[in-house]
Amino acid sequence: MSADSLFWPIFFAQYYSVLESIGVVVAVLIMISSFDDLFIDGWYWTREIIRKFRFRNNDSYRPLTPEQIKEREEQHLAIMVPAWLEYDVIAQMIESMVATLDYRNYTVFVGTYVNDHRTIEEVERMRRRYKQLRRVEVPHDGPTCKADCLNWVIQAIFLHEQQAGIEFAGVILHDSEDVLHPLELKFFNYLLPRKDMIQLPVASLEREWYELVAGVYMDEFAEWHAKDLVVRESVTGTVPSAGVGTCFSRRALLALAAITDNQPFNTESLTEDYDVGNRLAAMGMKAIFAVFPVDFVTRGRRWFGLGPDQERVIRMPLCVREFFPDTFRTSYRQKARWVLGISMQNWEQMGWRGSFAHKYLLFRDRKGIVTSIVSVVAYVLFFQFILFYLAHLAGIWTMEFPSIFVEGSWLQWVAQFILFALALRVIQRFYFVARLYGWEHGLMSIPRMVVGNVINFMAVCRAWKLFSGHMLMGKKMVWDKTMHDFPTTSQLVQKRQLLGEVLTAWQAVDADKMNNALEEREKTHRPLGRILISNGWLDEETLAEAIAFQSDLPRANLDAELIEKYAGYLPLELCVRLRMLYIGNDMHNRPLVVVAAPLTQEEMQEVSIVFGQDPALRIARDSEIAAGLRFLRGETDAFRPLPEGATGVPLLGDLLIERGLVRREAFDAAMDAYRPEEHGRIGDYLVASGVIERHVIEQVVEEQRRLRAAQESH
C-alpha cells in the first residue's frame, strides 16, 4: 500500500485519538461539576424529607395563611422601578400593578433618564393618573448601569420621607415587565421590620410549547428558585437578590448608604442585585428567601393549537412573574450580563471571601464560565463520535489506534457516572417544571436543556469578550438593554373593576369620600364621576383616565378643528342624545366615536345601524364632549381655553339632573324623541313636552351664564 493511500486512514485514526484525549478532559470537568450538582440535590431532598416528617408530627405547627398577613396594620412601603427605554411596557406594568395590589399605603418611584423622552412621556402620563406615582429623573444621559439609576431613586425616596413626614418600612425592587400578585405587599408588610431583605421566587409566565428559547427561562427558574436558592439560604444563610421581588428594610438601605457615600447599590457591577445580597450578608443583616404558597389564576395554553385556552387556579409560591426574552440573540445578551456581573465582576471585586460554605457557593456561581463552554464542546465531541461509529459500521473507517476507553477502566466508570448524573438532571428538571406548568412542559424541558446550554455557551463567550475588553483596554461596561414584552389583559386574567374601585386603588379619592359619593349616588341616581367632580373630590382628567382604563378604551383629545372637519356626518340629534362625537375613521377604516363613558349595548346597535358597522370608541373628558356639542350647535368659541382647574360650563341637561330638578330617566326618555331641526332649543322642547316648567329652565340657563362669566373673568 502506498504512502498516499495510507495518509487519510492514519490522519483520521490520529484525529480520533485526539478526540478521545479531549473527551477525557471534558469528562473529568463534567464529573467535577456533577459532584457539585449532586451535593445540592442531596442537601435539598434530605432537607425536604426531614421537614416533612418534622411538621407532620408537630401539632403546634400551623402554616401562615393569607388571613394572617391581611390582619397586620399597613406600614408605608415604597416600590422602585428603574426604567431605561421601557416606553413599550412601563405604562402597562404600572396599570397592572395598581389594579392588582391589595394594599393602600404605598408609593411608586420610577427612575428615568433625561435623554429617554419616550419613557418619560409614558411615566408622566401615568403620574397624572395615579396619585401614588412619582417620577425620579436621573440628571444625566443613559444608559449607565442599573445601580446608578437605583441610587438616584433611593435618594428620592429618602427626600420624599422628609417632605411627607413619613418613614418607609421597606423598599421593593421591581422591573418594568414584572407581574405582581395581589398579596405581595401584604406579605412584605407582615415580615417587616423583622427581616432586612426578603426575596420572593421569580417565575416565567407560561409560553407556547414551540417557544424554545423563552421556555428555557420557564425551566431554569422553576428549578433554581424552588431548589438552588433554598439550599443556598439553608447552607450559608445568604440570599442573593434576584433584582425583582426584593424588599429591603429601611435599616438595610440606611446601613448600605452609610458605608458607600449614599450609594447603596454598587455602580461598578452589572448585577447589583447579586452584589447587594452578599454585602448585606457580610453586615449581618437578616435575609430570607420567602416561600409562601398562594393561588394564581392563569390561562392554560393550548397544546399544538388543539382546544380553547382555559382558566385554571394553581397553587404555587408567591412570586414575581414576567416574560423573559424569546429570541436567541436577546437571550444570550441578557445572560451575558448576568455572567459578567455574577461570575467575573464579583470575582474581581470580592475574591474568595467568607466561610468555606460561602466559598463553595461562590465556586458554584463561577464555574459556569468554564462549564458552559465544556457542555457545548461535549455536544461537538458526541456528534463526531457518532459519525465515526457509523463510518465504522459502514466499513468506511477501519484504521484506529487502541482506545483509552477500554472495558473496566476508570474512564468507563466516569462515563457511567456522567450518564447517571445526566439522568438525575433530566428527572429533576421534569419534576420542577411539571409542578408549575404541567407535564407537557415538563416533557418539553428535556429538549430545551440543549437549547439552554447553547444559549449559555454564547452568553459566556460574550461575557469573556466584554470582560477582556474591560480589563485590557479599559472599556466601560454599561446597561445592556433587553427589550421586554408585557402580558395582555387576557393573559393576566384580571377582573373588571368598578369605577369606584379603580379610583380608590389609584388613590385619586380616599375611602371616606368615595363612600359619601356612593351614598349620594344611591339617593340621587347621578353618575358617580359627576358627584365626585361637583364636590371637588376629583379632577376631570383623572376621571376620564379612569373610565378609559376601566373600559379598556383609548383616550382621545378634541379641538374645534377636528369637530368642524367631521361635522354633519352624523345627525345632530343622535350626537346630542347619546353625547358622542364623530372624528373620522381609524387605520382599519372603522368609524371613530368619542364619548365620555362607554355606550350601552342598545346605543351601540343604534350607532352601528347608522354607520353600517360597529364603531371604535374613544374616551374624552366630559367637558370636551360638551364643548364639541356646543360647537356643532353654533357656539364657535366653545373650545376657548379654560382657567386651570376649570371643567367648563355643564350642559343644560347635566345641570337639571345635577340640581335634582329632573330625574335622569325622565330626561333620557324625552331626549329619545328630540330632533334639533324640528324642536329647536332643548330648554324650549323640555317645557313644551311638559318635562319641566318655564321658570325652572330660565333659572338654570341663568346659572349657566353666571358660570360662564365667572370663568371668563379668570
Side-chain angles (χ1 to χ4, degrees):
M1 185 176 291
S2 66
D4 291 340
S5 62
L6 288 175
F7 174 78
W8 287 112
I10 294 174
F11 171 80
F12 282 115
Q14 291 176 333
Y15 182 77
Y16 185 81
S17 181
V18 171
L19 289 182
E20 286 192 326
S21 299
I22 297 174
V24 170
V25 177
V26 169
V28 171
L29 291 174
I30 293 177
M31 179 184 67
I32 295 172
S33 177
S34 298
F35 276 123
D36 166 39
D37 294 333
L38 286 176
F39 172 78
I40 298 296
D41 296 340
W43 189 289
Y44 173 79
W45 290 110
T46 301
R47 178 179 180 273
E48 287 296 295
I49 293 171
I50 292 173
R51 285 168 58 88
K52 183 176 181 180
F53 283 102
R54 178 187 300 169
F55 293 140
R56 175 186 292 177
N57 299 323
N58 188 349
D59 294 335
S60 62
Y61 171 72
R62 294 290 184 274
L64 183 65
T65 64
E67 290 70 27
Q68 287 176 277
I69 67 173
K70 290 179 180 179
E71 289 172 358
R72 185 171 177 82
E73 183 179 353
E74 290 189 356
Q75 305 171 87
H76 293 289
L77 296 178
I79 299 174
M80 53 182 175
V81 183
W84 164 247
L85 297 182
E86 302 287 7
Y87 52 84
D88 54 338
V89 295
I90 188 66
Q92 296 166 281
M93 184 267 187
I94 295 172
E95 286 178 344
S96 174
M97 176 194 300
V98 176
T100 298
L101 288 175
D102 182 14
Y103 206 84
R104 286 280 299 166
N105 203 3
Y106 71 97
T107 308
V108 182
F109 297 83
V110 180
T112 61
Y113 288 84
V114 293
N115 60 327
D116 187 4
H117 304 295
R118 295 178 69 181
T119 302
I120 290 174
E121 289 176 1
E122 286 296 285
V123 176
E124 283 297 309
R125 182 168 68 87
M126 294 296 100
R127 188 181 64 82
R128 290 191 293 270
R129 175 189 293 183
Y130 303 115
K131 308 311 175 187
Q132 66 270 56
L133 177 63
R134 306 286 184 275
R135 185 176 70 84
V136 180
E137 186 161 287
V138 180
H140 47 253
D141 287 353
T144 52
C145 61
K146 188 175 176 181
D148 176 51
C149 184
L150 289 174
N151 286 333
W152 284 102
V153 174
I154 289 293
Q155 294 307 310
I157 290 174
F158 288 156
L159 179 62
H160 180 80
E161 286 184 324
Q162 298 174 11
Q163 295 173 341
I166 62 173
E167 287 187 358
F168 290 110
V171 177
I172 298 100
L173 173 58
H174 275 296
D175 278 346
S176 56
E177 64 274 10
D178 293 351
V179 178
L180 282 56
H181 188 276
L183 293 178
E184 179 181 312
L185 296 194
K186 289 285 189 182
F187 185 60
F188 288 142
N189 181 66
Y190 181 83
L191 293 177
L192 291 167
R194 291 172 293 160
K195 301 297 181 182
D196 294 301
M197 193 184 89
I198 308 161
Q199 178 61 58
L200 295 180
V202 178
S204 170
L205 288 159
E206 187 174 351
R207 294 285 196 164
E208 297 287 358
W209 67 272
Y210 52 80
E211 295 181 279
L212 298 181
V213 172
V216 167
Y217 290 91
M218 293 171 54
D219 307 337
E220 292 179 345
F221 278 90
E223 186 170 358
W224 290 349
H225 283 241
K227 181 183 70 177
D228 288 44
L229 288 186
V230 171
V231 173
R232 181 184 296 271
E233 180 190 25
S234 176
V235 171
T236 64
T238 302
V239 180
S241 166
V244 297
T246 310
C247 179
F248 302 96
S249 71
R250 189 171 188 274
R251 183 173 84 103
L253 289 176
L254 289 174
L256 288 168
I259 62 174
T260 55
D261 193 26
N262 284 329
Q263 296 189 44
F265 294 95
N266 182 5
T267 56
E268 298 301 317
S269 174
L270 293 180
T271 50
E272 70 299 320
D273 44 8
Y274 179 86
D275 175 86
V276 77
N278 287 329
R279 287 192 290 129
L280 287 174
M283 296 167 64
M285 295 287 177
K286 298 178 181 178
I288 182 174
F289 181 70
V291 180
F292 176 56
V294 294
D295 291 332
F296 282 84
V297 180
T298 64
R299 188 176 297 279
R301 297 281 187 173
R302 296 177 299 164
W303 277 86
F304 308 108
L306 301 176
D309 291 350
Q310 294 182 345
E311 288 187 16
R312 55 178 176 155
V313 177
I314 60 174
R315 189 80 168 170
M316 60 186 290
L318 176 63
C319 63
V320 176
R321 299 177 298 162
E322 60 185 79
F323 276 142
F324 289 93
D326 59 355
T327 66
F328 184 78
R329 184 174 185 273
T330 54
S331 179
Y332 82 73
R333 287 174 68 91
Q334 182 193 58
K335 287 195 170 188
R337 179 174 65 82
W338 296 351
V339 173
L340 192 57
I342 293 173
S343 300
M344 298 177 177
Q345 285 185 314
N346 186 264
W347 189 344
E348 176 195 10
Q349 295 168 8
M350 298 190 66
W352 294 90
R353 303 175 192 171
S355 64
F356 176 79
H358 187 73
K359 290 176 182 175
Y360 161 65
L361 290 175
L362 288 177
F363 160 76
R364 180 168 174 80
D365 290 336
R366 297 168 183 176
K367 73 174 185 178
I369 60 177
V370 175
T371 57
S372 293
I373 296 175
V374 169
S375 62
V376 172
V377 173
Y379 290 149
V380 175
L381 287 174
F382 179 75
F383 178 71
Q384 293 186 77
F385 284 140
I386 292 295
L387 289 180
F388 273 102
Y389 177 72
L390 295 175
H392 178 73
L393 291 179
I396 300 173
W397 176 57
T398 57
M399 180 180 291
E400 59 180 308
F401 298 126
S403 175
I404 58 178
F405 290 92
V406 295
E407 185 75 23
S409 69
W410 67 275
L411 287 174
Q412 187 180 44
W413 289 105
V414 168
Q416 291 174 353
F417 172 77
I418 290 174
L419 288 175
F420 169 74
L422 176 61
L424 286 181
R425 298 268 63 74
V426 170
I427 292 170
Q428 290 186 87
R429 178 60 61 87
F430 172 86
Y431 169 78
F432 286 108
V433 173
R435 191 168 68 168
L436 285 187
Y437 303 106
W439 65 268
E440 299 94 339
H441 273 298
L443 288 178
M444 288 303 301
S445 71
I446 299 173
R448 289 197 297 239
M449 292 178 74
V450 178
V451 178
N453 285 335
V454 176
I455 292 172
N456 292 337
F457 168 79
M458 290 295 297
V460 167
C461 291
R462 175 173 170 79
W464 274 116
K465 174 185 175 183
L466 294 174
F467 188 69
S468 300
H470 168 67
M471 295 296 293
L472 299 176
M473 305 179 65
K475 291 183 178 180
K476 188 175 181 180
M477 292 178 288
V478 299
W479 196 344
D480 195 2
K481 172 63 185 166
T482 303
M483 300 304 289
H484 297 99
D485 295 324
F486 196 82
T488 63
T489 303
S490 60
Q491 289 171 319
L492 292 177
V493 197
Q494 292 183 339
K495 67 174 185 177
R496 176 183 169 89
Q497 292 178 294
L498 300 175
L499 180 61
E501 293 174 336
V502 172
L503 293 170
T504 303
W506 291 7
Q507 298 184 14
V509 181
D510 66 44
D512 291 338
K513 291 177 180 176
M514 181 59 69
N515 289 334
N516 292 337
L518 291 172
E519 290 176 2
E520 185 175 341
R521 185 181 64 176
E522 288 295 321
K523 297 176 182 177
T524 64
H525 302 286
R526 292 167 57 201
L528 180 62
R530 293 299 307 172
I531 294 172
L532 293 169
I533 290 175
S534 62
N535 282 287
W537 297 336
L538 183 68
D539 63 273
E540 196 179 22
E541 176 63 23
T542 303
L543 174 62
E545 284 287 341
I547 293 172
F549 172 80
Q550 181 201 24
S551 53
D552 195 24
L553 293 173
R555 284 290 309 277
N557 295 307
L558 303 177
D559 55 40
E561 182 178 353
L562 185 63
I563 300 302
E564 184 177 23
K565 182 177 180 180
Y566 296 102
Y569 279 78
L570 282 180
L572 179 59
E573 59 85 13
L574 183 66
C575 295
V576 172
R577 180 162 50 85
L578 300 185
R579 297 178 65 82
M580 67 178 192
L581 297 164
Y582 170 64
I583 57 169
N585 291 6
D586 64 12
M587 64 178 64
H588 304 295
N589 206 34
R590 293 177 62 194
L592 289 173
V593 171
V594 182
V595 291
L599 299 177
T600 65
Q601 185 175 357
E602 292 76 14
E603 291 170 340
M604 280 290 289
Q605 291 176 349
E606 185 176 358
V607 177
S608 298
I609 292 173
V610 174
F611 283 117
Q613 61 177 312
D614 291 339
L617 299 185
R618 299 290 186 269
I619 299 295
R621 296 197 305 269
D622 191 68
S623 62
E624 291 180 300
I625 300 294
L629 294 174
R630 286 196 177 96
F631 186 87
L632 291 177
R633 298 185 64 184
E635 294 187 28
T636 56
D637 63 344
F639 280 97
R640 63 185 179 281
L642 298 174
E644 185 176 353
T647 60
V649 179
L651 293 173
L652 179 66
D654 292 334
L655 273 178
L656 289 170
I657 296 169
E658 193 168 308
R659 299 294 183 266
L661 301 173
V662 175
R663 292 188 63 83
R664 173 167 293 279
E665 295 80 1
F667 180 80
D668 289 342
M671 293 303 296
D672 284 341
Y674 173 65
R675 301 293 180 270
E677 299 81 2
E678 179 183 346
H679 300 125
R681 294 183 300 180
I682 291 178
D684 295 335
Y685 166 72
L686 293 174
V687 172
S689 302
V691 176
I692 199 167
E693 297 182 2
R694 171 66 65 181
H695 73 278
V696 176
I697 286 291
E698 292 174 350
Q699 291 175 3
V700 175
V701 170
E702 181 59 31
E703 182 177 356
Q704 283 184 309
R705 293 195 185 101
R706 289 197 304 269
L707 290 172
R708 186 176 290 107
Q711 288 189 356
E712 291 174 350
S713 66
H714 285 81

